[in-house]
Amino acid sequence: MTDPFALFDEWYAQARDTEINDSNAMALATADARGRPAVRMVLLKGHGPDGFVFYTNFEGRKAGELLENPHAALLFHWKSLRRQIRVEGAVGPVDDPTADAYFATRSRDSQLGAWASDQSRPLPDRQTFMDRFDTVSARFAEGPVPRPPHWSGFRLTPERIEFWQDREHRLHERRLFERAGVGAQGDWREGLLYP
């Protein structure tokens, strides 16, 4: 198989069947404008040949770093399968209709939490956050909860995708796909790597 997205779909489907919690969890590595790295776990909410999508508060640290330095790396690790996938590429915001459509699928409490949260900013205590949650709950008591203007998504358009499979005696197998062309439609070249 030389299509990295078909291979990703195959591995991801197996992970959804075997991982107990959050098979869509991935580590997101960013760097600020000075090149200082940071990493955190986020959830994959869409994927395909055009990229890998996740959502966040655009006033938080991760969004600030992605807007300053629009390149990132993702890591999926499925321990039960003894597999991981590394993805590297350019990052940009999703369009408003895409963000609106995803936001509408979130639970009402998650929607309200997006309004109540000042992500990455300190609060004096948890009660302050819960009071804010109660305030927005009352504000949107009637009807649907709209997407906050500070909340949207990013799409990482991959330039490199590496599939890692654990093997006995640390003789692991790695398959590296690199984009040969420019943009989301570029061709992919594959190399088989070993430890």
Side-chain angles (χ1 to χ4, degrees):
M1 181 179 300
T2 57
D3 177 355
F5 300 105
L7 184 55
F8 180 88
D9 287 342
E10 178 185 316
W11 281 26
Y12 188 44
Q14 292 171 4
R16 286 196 307 270
D17 289 340
T18 61
E19 293 295 312
I20 296 171
N21 293 309
D22 297 329
S23 59
N24 62 333
M26 57 188 182
L28 167 67
T30 60
D32 65 17
R34 292 187 284 174
R36 293 179 302 188
V39 66
R40 77 287 287 158
M41 300 302 292
V42 298
L43 298 177
L44 177 69
K45 292 299 182 179
H47 72 282
D50 59 343
F52 298 83
V53 177
F54 57 94
Y55 291 88
T56 191
N57 182 322
F58 269 47
E59 295 174 348
R61 178 181 174 185
K62 92 171 72 72
E65 290 176 350
L66 289 168
L67 294 170
E68 286 179 354
N69 181 1
H71 301 276
L74 304 172
L75 173 65
F76 297 86
H77 178 230
W78 298 305
K79 187 173 182 178
S80 64
L81 294 173
R82 300 168 65 179
R83 289 177 172 167
Q84 62 183 5
I85 301 174
R86 297 172 54 201
V87 184
E88 301 171 19
V91 178
V94 301
D95 59 33
D96 286 342
T98 299
D100 290 340
Y102 171 69
F103 189 78
T105 70
R106 289 168 61 105
S107 71
R108 186 173 185 84
D109 283 350
S110 293
Q111 292 173 338
L112 295 168
W115 280 95
S117 174
D118 278 344
Q119 190 167 339
S120 300
R121 294 192 181 98
L123 293 172
D125 52 44
R126 180 155 180 83
Q127 190 57 48
T128 301
F129 176 68
M130 298 312 297
D131 291 344
R132 292 174 68 174
F133 183 84
D134 291 343
T135 299
V136 296
S137 296
R139 176 180 171 192
F140 297 113
E142 303 293 327
V145 180
R147 178 174 62 89
H150 59 270
W151 191 96
S152 189
F154 285 100
R155 179 184 304 340
L156 185 147
T157 302
E159 296 161 4
R160 293 170 52 102
I161 305 176
E162 182 183 292
F163 296 80
W164 179 93
Q165 176 70 59
D166 181 42
R167 299 292 188 204
E168 288 186 354
H169 313 296
R170 302 188 65 80
L171 302 177
H172 311 314
E173 180 180 314
R174 296 187 294 152
R175 294 179 68 184
L176 174 65
F177 295 83
E178 294 183 290
R179 196 178 294 279
V182 176
Q185 302 306 317
D187 292 330
W188 289 88
R189 60 178 178 263
E190 178 186 1
L192 187 63
L193 308 173
Y194 291 92

